[in-house]
Amino acid sequence: MVVEITSTIHVSNRCNLKRKCAYCGFAAGSSSAGYYRSFVKTEEEVERAAISIESAGIKRVSISAGYGNFPAVLKAVQTVKGKTGLEVLVNVGGDLNREELELLKSAGVETVCCNLETVNRELFERLKPDDSFEKRLKVCELVKEAGLKLSSGLLLGIGEGERDREEHIKLLKSLEVDEVPVMGFRPYPETPMEAVPPAPLTLQLRIIEEVRESLTSCRRITVPYPTVGREGVIPAVKFGANNVATVVPKNYPLTVKGVGSPEVGILEELLPLFDSFGIETNVERERLPL
Ligand code: SF4
């Protein structure tokens, strides 16, 4: 098996949801361990980030932002597609409609990610009071209708139960997802969930394995580095993850913080780790500076 590496460009941490999600350390003002200060990346910053990613031999990038940033995200996609050959995933949660999906498709986007996080409606409404499960589900359906690849994942360890996780996997199967991020909760300080313990790695590994066994036609099982950390990457791959996300080259030109935790994967540190376990990646190594 060849493990894919997906990098990241965070276009903006502004999010127009009035009440932020209880676990969010990404949105402006949510956690001093996150970005905290509000930003929208310029075209030039996006271009420099994309070129550093491609120059390091990485082939795919996630372009993401909070709610209310569609014009900046579309511009970022156009910049990345105009300046590099990177494959692009866009993640702006449930903040998309049919017309916007068509614009992303026309700009060359391959995959759109809309995580449901949990199918437990009571839990969803408590942790994401200004978000909408039904809207997110609708966006997932529209992504498939638009002929784009759908990424949609689970956030584990936020208070969901075994039955919620089973129902979630069944729902993902019915949506014919192309990619499933399996994310373990990690608390960001100063957020409403700062005292909730992180999801056990064993839970994350078990769900990766269950997704792999249940969703046999799903092309990517993704483990975002910030939700698993260095100690969890190799076990995640051994249990069935074939895409490690939120990995940047060490010369990445922008400040970057993970969405699930501030930590991100550094390509030049991860590659020797994969090598030591005999795990191949899709990174074009001859592009890496000596
Ligand atoms: S998790 Fe996403 S949707 Fe929720 S507050 Fe943070 S940026 Fe906004």
Side-chain angles (χ1 to χ4, degrees), residues 217-241:
S217 55
C218 175
R219 182 173 159 208
R220 290 183 175 103
I221 311 273
T222 298
V223 61
Y225 185 92
T227 76
V228 77
R230 186 177 169 88
E231 69 285 359
V233 166
I234 298 299
V237 168
K238 288 190 171 168
F239 275 74

mmCIF file of all heavy atoms in Angstrom, residues 217-241:
data_model
loop_
_atom_site.group_PDB
_atom_site.id
_atom_site.type_symbol
_atom_site.label_atom_id
_atom_site.label_comp_id
_atom_site.label_asym_id
_atom_site.label_seq_id
_atom_site.Cartn_x
_atom_site.Cartn_y
_atom_site.Cartn_z
ATOM 1 N N SER A 217 -15.616 0.300 -0.985
ATOM 2 C CA SER A 217 -15.337 1.054 -2.219
ATOM 3 C C SER A 217 -14.841 2.476 -1.923
ATOM 4 O O SER A 217 -14.646 3.265 -2.855
ATOM 5 C CB SER A 217 -16.566 1.087 -3.123
ATOM 6 O OG SER A 217 -17.645 1.599 -2.394
ATOM 7 N N CYS A 218 -14.652 2.802 -0.660
ATOM 8 C CA CYS A 218 -14.155 4.140 -0.292
ATOM 9 C C CYS A 218 -12.655 4.206 -0.577
ATOM 10 O O CYS A 218 -11.887 3.382 -0.076
ATOM 11 C CB CYS A 218 -14.436 4.372 1.192
ATOM 12 S SG CYS A 218 -13.751 5.897 1.805
ATOM 13 N N ARG A 219 -12.261 5.194 -1.364
ATOM 14 C CA ARG A 219 -10.873 5.232 -1.831
ATOM 15 C C ARG A 219 -9.888 5.696 -0.757
ATOM 16 O O ARG A 219 -8.760 5.236 -0.683
ATOM 17 C CB ARG A 219 -10.793 6.158 -3.055
ATOM 18 C CG ARG A 219 -9.406 6.218 -3.617
ATOM 19 C CD ARG A 219 -9.320 6.994 -4.915
ATOM 20 N NE ARG A 219 -7.933 7.396 -5.087
ATOM 21 C CZ ARG A 219 -7.532 8.468 -5.749
ATOM 22 N NH1 ARG A 219 -8.418 9.241 -6.314
ATOM 23 N NH2 ARG A 219 -6.260 8.771 -5.846
ATOM 24 N N ARG A 220 -10.324 6.658 0.040
ATOM 25 C CA ARG A 220 -9.385 7.213 1.023
ATOM 26 C C ARG A 220 -9.933 7.099 2.442
ATOM 27 O O ARG A 220 -11.056 7.539 2.709
ATOM 28 C CB ARG A 220 -9.121 8.691 0.755
ATOM 29 C CG ARG A 220 -8.311 8.984 -0.485
ATOM 30 C CD ARG A 220 -8.057 10.477 -0.592
ATOM 31 N NE ARG A 220 -7.190 10.806 -1.704
ATOM 32 C CZ ARG A 220 -7.610 11.319 -2.865
ATOM 33 N NH1 ARG A 220 -8.896 11.579 -3.048
ATOM 34 N NH2 ARG A 220 -6.751 11.596 -3.829
ATOM 35 N N ILE A 221 -9.116 6.573 3.330
ATOM 36 C CA ILE A 221 -9.388 6.670 4.772
ATOM 37 C C ILE A 221 -8.309 7.624 5.282
ATOM 38 O O ILE A 221 -7.112 7.326 5.222
ATOM 39 C CB ILE A 221 -9.240 5.318 5.490
ATOM 40 C CG1 ILE A 221 -10.003 4.215 4.761
ATOM 41 C CG2 ILE A 221 -9.646 5.459 6.959
ATOM 42 C CD1 ILE A 221 -11.413 4.040 5.098
ATOM 43 N N THR A 222 -8.774 8.767 5.770
ATOM 44 C CA THR A 222 -7.844 9.848 6.091
ATOM 45 C C THR A 222 -7.663 9.993 7.589
ATOM 46 O O THR A 222 -8.637 9.955 8.344
ATOM 47 C CB THR A 222 -8.401 11.170 5.511
ATOM 48 O OG1 THR A 222 -8.463 11.025 4.087
ATOM 49 C CG2 THR A 222 -7.536 12.369 5.876
ATOM 50 N N VAL A 223 -6.421 10.167 7.992
ATOM 51 C CA VAL A 223 -6.163 10.499 9.381
ATOM 52 C C VAL A 223 -5.452 11.856 9.397
ATOM 53 O O VAL A 223 -4.340 11.990 8.907
ATOM 54 C CB VAL A 223 -5.385 9.370 10.107
ATOM 55 C CG1 VAL A 223 -4.034 9.100 9.514
ATOM 56 C CG2 VAL A 223 -5.257 9.670 11.573
ATOM 57 N N PRO A 224 -6.151 12.895 9.890
ATOM 58 C CA PRO A 224 -5.486 14.204 9.968
ATOM 59 C C PRO A 224 -4.420 14.159 11.074
ATOM 60 O O PRO A 224 -4.726 13.781 12.216
ATOM 61 C CB PRO A 224 -6.624 15.163 10.323
ATOM 62 C CG PRO A 224 -7.905 14.407 10.056
ATOM 63 C CD PRO A 224 -7.561 12.974 10.301
ATOM 64 N N TYR A 225 -3.211 14.544 10.725
ATOM 65 C CA TYR A 225 -2.101 14.466 11.688
ATOM 66 C C TYR A 225 -2.437 15.135 13.033
ATOM 67 O O TYR A 225 -2.149 14.573 14.095
ATOM 68 C CB TYR A 225 -0.832 15.077 11.076
ATOM 69 C CG TYR A 225 0.377 14.921 11.953
ATOM 70 C CD1 TYR A 225 1.211 13.823 11.819
ATOM 71 C CD2 TYR A 225 0.671 15.855 12.945
ATOM 72 C CE1 TYR A 225 2.317 13.660 12.652
ATOM 73 C CE2 TYR A 225 1.763 15.697 13.776
ATOM 74 C CZ TYR A 225 2.587 14.601 13.621
ATOM 75 O OH TYR A 225 3.665 14.444 14.459
ATOM 76 N N PRO A 226 -3.082 16.323 13.048
ATOM 77 C CA PRO A 226 -3.342 16.974 14.336
ATOM 78 C C PRO A 226 -4.240 16.158 15.268
ATOM 79 O O PRO A 226 -4.256 16.390 16.468
ATOM 80 C CB PRO A 226 -4.049 18.285 13.940
ATOM 81 C CG PRO A 226 -3.630 18.523 12.524
ATOM 82 C CD PRO A 226 -3.512 17.169 11.908
ATOM 83 N N THR A 227 -5.005 15.209 14.710
ATOM 84 C CA THR A 227 -5.907 14.431 15.571
ATOM 85 C C THR A 227 -5.283 13.126 16.035
ATOM 86 O O THR A 227 -5.901 12.388 16.800
ATOM 87 C CB THR A 227 -7.242 14.106 14.857
ATOM 88 O OG1 THR A 227 -7.023 13.053 13.911
ATOM 89 C CG2 THR A 227 -7.816 15.315 14.163
ATOM 90 N N VAL A 228 -4.073 12.845 15.574
ATOM 91 C CA VAL A 228 -3.478 11.553 15.927
ATOM 92 C C VAL A 228 -2.053 11.722 16.479
ATOM 93 O O VAL A 228 -1.595 10.909 17.289
ATOM 94 C CB VAL A 228 -3.550 10.601 14.701
ATOM 95 C CG1 VAL A 228 -2.524 10.914 13.669
ATOM 96 C CG2 VAL A 228 -3.495 9.163 15.100
ATOM 97 N N GLY A 229 -1.369 12.760 16.049
ATOM 98 C CA GLY A 229 -0.008 13.023 16.535
ATOM 99 C C GLY A 229 0.996 12.010 16.011
ATOM 100 O O GLY A 229 0.640 11.023 15.370
ATOM 101 N N ARG A 230 2.272 12.273 16.275
ATOM 102 C CA ARG A 230 3.340 11.420 15.750
ATOM 103 C C ARG A 230 3.192 9.965 16.210
ATOM 104 O O ARG A 230 3.395 9.039 15.447
ATOM 105 C CB ARG A 230 4.701 11.986 16.196
ATOM 106 C CG ARG A 230 5.889 11.258 15.583
ATOM 107 C CD ARG A 230 7.205 11.892 15.996
ATOM 108 N NE ARG A 230 8.329 11.041 15.623
ATOM 109 C CZ ARG A 230 8.938 11.087 14.447
ATOM 110 N NH1 ARG A 230 8.562 11.947 13.536
ATOM 111 N NH2 ARG A 230 9.940 10.256 14.182
ATOM 112 N N GLU A 231 2.780 9.793 17.465
ATOM 113 C CA GLU A 231 2.705 8.429 17.999
ATOM 114 C C GLU A 231 1.576 7.626 17.346
ATOM 115 O O GLU A 231 1.608 6.390 17.383
ATOM 116 C CB GLU A 231 2.553 8.439 19.522
ATOM 117 C CG GLU A 231 1.220 8.943 20.073
ATOM 118 C CD GLU A 231 1.037 10.469 19.997
ATOM 119 O OE1 GLU A 231 1.956 11.184 19.530
ATOM 120 O OE2 GLU A 231 -0.051 10.938 20.381
ATOM 121 N N GLY A 232 0.624 8.315 16.749
ATOM 122 C CA GLY A 232 -0.520 7.591 16.194
ATOM 123 C C GLY A 232 -0.467 7.363 14.697
ATOM 124 O O GLY A 232 -1.273 6.597 14.165
ATOM 125 N N VAL A 233 0.471 7.989 14.012
ATOM 126 C CA VAL A 233 0.458 7.923 12.541
ATOM 127 C C VAL A 233 0.691 6.495 12.034
ATOM 128 O O VAL A 233 -0.083 5.999 11.198
ATOM 129 C CB VAL A 233 1.513 8.884 11.949
ATOM 130 C CG1 VAL A 233 1.754 8.598 10.486
ATOM 131 C CG2 VAL A 233 1.035 10.316 12.084
ATOM 132 N N ILE A 234 1.729 5.859 12.522
ATOM 133 C CA ILE A 234 2.042 4.512 12.013
ATOM 134 C C ILE A 234 0.935 3.519 12.385
ATOM 135 O O ILE A 234 0.451 2.768 11.521
ATOM 136 C CB ILE A 234 3.437 4.046 12.515
ATOM 137 C CG1 ILE A 234 4.527 5.005 11.987
ATOM 138 C CG2 ILE A 234 3.720 2.600 12.093
ATOM 139 C CD1 ILE A 234 4.660 5.097 10.475
ATOM 140 N N PRO A 235 0.476 3.511 13.664
ATOM 141 C CA PRO A 235 -0.652 2.618 13.964
ATOM 142 C C PRO A 235 -1.870 2.892 13.079
ATOM 143 O O PRO A 235 -2.530 1.959 12.618
ATOM 144 C CB PRO A 235 -0.958 2.924 15.439
ATOM 145 C CG PRO A 235 0.331 3.426 15.997
ATOM 146 C CD PRO A 235 1.013 4.147 14.880
ATOM 147 N N ALA A 236 -2.157 4.177 12.804
ATOM 148 C CA ALA A 236 -3.324 4.501 11.967
ATOM 149 C C ALA A 236 -3.182 3.878 10.584
ATOM 150 O O ALA A 236 -4.142 3.315 10.038
ATOM 151 C CB ALA A 236 -3.485 6.019 11.853
ATOM 152 N N VAL A 237 -1.979 3.956 10.021
ATOM 153 C CA VAL A 237 -1.748 3.364 8.699
ATOM 154 C C VAL A 237 -1.884 1.843 8.790
ATOM 155 O O VAL A 237 -2.498 1.205 7.926
ATOM 156 C CB VAL A 237 -0.352 3.785 8.170
ATOM 157 C CG1 VAL A 237 0.040 2.964 6.949
ATOM 158 C CG2 VAL A 237 -0.356 5.283 7.832
ATOM 159 N N LYS A 238 -1.348 1.265 9.853
ATOM 160 C CA LYS A 238 -1.430 -0.198 9.992
ATOM 161 C C LYS A 238 -2.880 -0.680 10.136
ATOM 162 O O LYS A 238 -3.214 -1.778 9.735
ATOM 163 C CB LYS A 238 -0.602 -0.657 11.187
ATOM 164 C CG LYS A 238 0.893 -0.541 10.903
ATOM 165 C CD LYS A 238 1.726 -1.197 11.948
ATOM 166 C CE LYS A 238 3.196 -1.232 11.494
ATOM 167 N NZ LYS A 238 4.103 -1.589 12.559
ATOM 168 N N PHE A 239 -3.744 0.177 10.696
ATOM 169 C CA PHE A 239 -5.148 -0.209 10.849
ATOM 170 C C PHE A 239 -5.984 0.133 9.610
ATOM 171 O O PHE A 239 -7.164 -0.171 9.570
ATOM 172 C CB PHE A 239 -5.749 0.446 12.102
ATOM 173 C CG PHE A 239 -5.495 -0.349 13.353
ATOM 174 C CD1 PHE A 239 -4.236 -0.372 13.940
ATOM 175 C CD2 PHE A 239 -6.503 -1.093 13.945
ATOM 176 C CE1 PHE A 239 -3.992 -1.115 15.091
ATOM 177 C CE2 PHE A 239 -6.269 -1.838 15.096
ATOM 178 C CZ PHE A 239 -5.012 -1.850 15.673
ATOM 179 N N GLY A 240 -5.385 0.796 8.621
ATOM 180 C CA GLY A 240 -6.124 0.986 7.368
ATOM 181 C C GLY A 240 -6.183 2.390 6.818
ATOM 182 O O GLY A 240 -6.748 2.591 5.742
ATOM 183 N N ALA A 241 -5.646 3.390 7.520
ATOM 184 C CA ALA A 241 -5.633 4.737 6.941
ATOM 185 C C ALA A 241 -4.648 4.770 5.773
ATOM 186 O O ALA A 241 -3.543 4.229 5.885
ATOM 187 C CB ALA A 241 -5.237 5.765 7.996
#
